[in-house]
Amino acid sequence: MKQILFAAPILMLAACGETTNTEVTDVEAPLASNGELAAAAAALPAGDFLDLVLGAKIVGPQGDEVEGALSTNEGNFADIRSFVACPEGMTKCDPKTAPAGTIYTYVHVVYPGEDNQSSTGSGEGNDSSDIERATAFRMIRPAHGFTGTAGYSKDEVLGAIGPKADVAITCDAGELVWTVSAGDGGNQWEQAEPVTFYWQSTLPPAGPADAYAIDANYTQAKGPGPYPAETAGATNACLDESN
């Protein structure tokens, strides 16, 4: 498995509104093996979704956002709401007229369990068991056109898990995986705690496809989201031999 590892520092907030410069990263955390140490030493920082300034969203047959559910034969395990945006300054995002070199940002908001809104995703139709532990959001198809830029909302992860949270973005046979680690026991990424993930591609979406999944309650639930078609000449940073 080829792997690019992105490790991001998460600031810890002190009591009474005071802040500290102490940072927790997976480089500083205890490591179980020399392999993990080597991966951590070569880590690149993940982007923070709150730092992104995006332009207009692509408007498709379902509007500017696509809603769905990540599910198994036993039921829905998560809601997913996705959109694709053009870069800052573009007031209209139409791949047919977008200039050459346009970078598209794929954004996915994942809600373990249901989001308690009957009009979106799983909504009231979610009859799966309560999600006690979600450990990863991932692609289950290659990330065509992937530029090497990806990230997540650090504030949302901090709010869901706390300062011990560790999110690593890796490549698995051309697919992207966001592994969310909270250690054993204690607070986990769980029911009704939405987290936003993103990645960037040189390719626009060809339409919704069953290309995404969540690992939760020790099973994998799959579902749809905007996805780019394989295109001749397009690269994928996960498959770049220099990585």
Side-chain angles (χ1 to χ4, degrees):
M1 180 182 79
K2 285 185 59 63
Q3 174 172 298
I4 304 173
L5 177 65
F6 299 76
I10 296 179
L11 298 180
M12 295 189 299
L13 301 182
C16 302
E18 296 179 357
T19 60
T20 175
N21 290 327
T22 302
E23 296 180 347
V24 175
T25 70
D26 65 350
V27 175
E28 297 166 344
L31 296 168
S33 69
N34 289 335
E36 288 181 343
L37 181 60
L44 297 175
D48 190 343
F49 179 69
L50 294 183
D51 291 337
L52 287 182
V53 181
L54 300 175
K57 301 175 183 177
I58 292 178
V59 179
Q62 299 183 43
D64 60 4
E65 295 187 350
V66 177
E67 298 171 346
L70 303 177
S71 62
T72 69
N73 291 334
E74 297 177 354
N76 298 331
F77 279 70
D79 282 349
I80 181 170
R81 176 171 55 85
S82 306
F83 65 86
V84 181
C86 281
E88 177 184 6
M90 292 185 65
T91 57
K92 182 179 180 180
C93 191
D94 184 350
K96 294 180 181 179
T97 58
T102 296
I103 300 298
Y104 300 92
T105 301
Y106 288 70
V107 179
H108 312 282
V109 186
V110 181
Y111 300 78
E114 63 177 298
D115 65 356
N116 298 313
Q117 297 182 36
S118 59
S119 62
T120 61
S122 302
E124 294 179 348
N126 184 341
D127 55 4
S128 67
S129 59
D130 182 57
I131 303 302
E132 297 179 352
R133 184 172 186 170
T135 56
F137 172 66
R138 66 167 297 149
M139 299 183 70
I140 52 175
R141 296 189 184 188
H144 300 310
F146 177 46
T147 64
T149 297
Y152 61 96
S153 173
K154 298 177 184 178
D155 276 1
E156 289 173 350
V157 169
L158 183 64
I161 302 171
K164 66 177 181 178
D166 180 22
V167 178
I169 306 175
T170 59
C171 289
D172 182 2
E175 302 165 358
L176 281 164
V177 184
W178 290 258
T179 301
V180 181
S181 175
D184 294 329
N187 198 17
Q188 302 288 327
W189 182 31
E190 54 193 345
Q191 185 82 11
E193 292 179 335
V195 173
T196 302
F197 304 91
Y198 74 89
W199 62 288
Q200 293 185 334
S201 174
T202 57
L203 301 173
D210 287 336
Y212 303 94
I214 187 173
D215 294 342
N217 287 7
Y218 304 100
T219 191
Q220 186 175 94
K222 306 173 183 180
Y227 180 70
E230 185 174 8
T231 303
T235 59
N236 178 343
C238 278
L239 300 175
D240 185 347
E241 293 298 328
S242 66
N243 291 319

